[in-house]
Amino acid sequence: MIVVETEIGGKTISLETGRLAKQASGAVVVRCGDTMVLVTATGRDEAREAQDFFPLTVDLEERMYAAGKIPGGFIKRESRPTDKAILAARQIDRPIRPLFPQGYRNEVQVVATTLSVDHENAHDVLAMIGASAALTISDIPFMGPLGAVRVALIDR
């Protein structure tokens, strides 16, 4: 197990690999406070025949149990992704897509699963950092890494 920690804006962000999702090409647990996100990256060894595009899939899985809510009543399962989850997946996709080699056509899937949320630290920024780290440590050709922070104007 490898753990790397850094402090950004007075908060400690840690990246841990080697404990969870060992079958993935790259897997990282990113933590800031009590917010934790597991990000996995997997890829095919060869491209499908006659495929003329790069099939990159990025999913952000927000789980209700991460916020301490258990679905009950008539609906017992998680529903479709929220608009915020779809936008966060796009925020991850757009910066990492150009960092793959030109002409690379193998299927790549990046899945960020929210394990816990403390309602103070944003899980989408942690998912972007984790996606970069998971792709960097995997055997998938990736010309990264990249970093992400949230910038906001407060009390204007």
Side-chain angles (χ1 to χ4, degrees):
M1 188 172 82
I2 299 171
V3 178
V4 177
E5 292 184 351
T6 188
E7 188 172 326
I8 299 175
K11 296 183 179 186
T12 301
I13 297 176
S14 71
L15 287 84
E16 173 186 311
T17 187
R19 182 185 294 186
L20 298 176
K22 293 181 182 180
Q23 290 182 333
S25 298
V28 176
V29 175
V30 185
R31 173 187 287 235
C32 183
D34 285 334
T35 300
M36 291 176 53
V37 180
L38 169 65
V39 185
T40 58
T42 56
R44 287 179 57 104
D45 292 333
E46 68 280 332
R48 293 182 192 217
E49 201 164 318
Q51 184 167 292
D52 60 348
F53 65 97
F54 173 47
L56 174 64
T57 304
V58 178
D59 288 325
L60 179 69
E61 304 287 335
E62 292 178 320
R63 298 293 180 204
M64 301 263 310
Y65 63 77
K69 299 176 183 175
I70 307 298
F74 181 72
I75 300 172
K76 300 265 191 252
R77 297 191 178 107
E78 300 280 344
S79 60
R80 65 187 265 327
T82 63
D83 289 342
K84 185 177 178 183
I86 293 169
L87 289 174
R90 290 179 183 170
Q91 283 178 332
I92 296 168
D93 181 284
R94 299 310 183 261
I96 66 173
R97 188 173 286 274
L99 296 177
F100 288 93
Q102 189 71 26
Y104 187 69
R105 301 285 188 248
N106 299 9
E107 184 177 355
V108 175
Q109 185 175 26
V110 177
V111 179
T113 306
T114 306
L115 301 177
S116 68
V117 176
D118 64 3
H119 301 291
E120 184 179 325
N121 300 299
H123 68 278
D124 54 348
V125 175
L126 298 179
M128 186 178 295
I129 293 169
S132 172
L135 286 165
T136 300
I137 66 171
S138 73
D139 57 353
I140 299 167
F142 178 69
M143 298 178 288
L146 61 92
V149 294
R150 176 162 301 180
V151 178
L153 182 61
I154 300 173
D155 295 333
R156 180 172 175 170

